[in-house]
Amino acid sequence: MTAEAVLIETSWTEVCPVDALAREQGVAVLLPDGTQVAVFRTHDDALYAVSNVDPFSGAAVLSRGIVGDIGGTPVVASPMHKQHFDLRTGACLEDADVSVPTYPVCVCDATILLGQP
């Protein structure tokens, strides 16, 4: 499937204006189907979206995690047990068997949009 097809077949939800999300911060988003997603803005203005649910605790808290970088990999550290999740892939750096879903995110007219296939 082409990138264009992915964009067309994705349902987009408005999150907030880009300027409302501070660098190195996250925000929780509730999608229309009830899915909780965490959207992050990194120090270099890159945007990422992963599930807001910490797979180790089951709590919807990742949007409140510490955003940073480990060896060039953008990560969020869970506020519960401090596991690090790669913001690009959702993989847990401490446990290769655990990951969180990732979601497409983009900016249109200075507004962050979150995609759901």
Side-chain angles (χ1 to χ4, degrees):
M1 182 177 294
T2 67
E4 183 176 278
V6 170
L7 289 174
I8 291 170
E9 294 180 16
T10 300
S11 172
W12 296 93
T13 299
E14 287 189 16
V15 175
C16 65
V18 173
D19 291 341
L21 182 57
R23 289 180 180 94
E24 302 295 314
Q25 297 292 313
V27 63
V29 180
L30 184 62
L31 292 176
D33 71 355
T35 302
Q36 291 193 36
V37 178
V39 176
F40 298 96
R41 182 177 178 189
T42 59
H43 69 91
D44 59 357
D45 291 326
L47 296 169
Y48 300 96
V50 300
S51 171
N52 194 35
V53 178
D54 177 339
F56 292 95
S57 69
V61 295
L62 290 182
S63 63
R64 293 181 277 163
I66 299 171
V67 179
D69 176 291
I70 295 178
T73 300
V75 298
V76 61
S78 172
M80 297 298 290
H81 302 292
K82 310 303 184 242
Q83 286 91 352
H84 297 90
F85 296 92
D86 183 331
L87 291 174
R88 301 168 303 178
T89 67
C92 178
L93 275 58
E94 291 80 15
D95 186 337
D97 293 329
V98 178
S99 65
V100 293
T102 60
Y103 297 84
V105 63
C106 67
V107 175
C108 182
D109 296 327
T111 299
I112 298 171
L113 301 177
L114 177 61
Q116 184 179 21

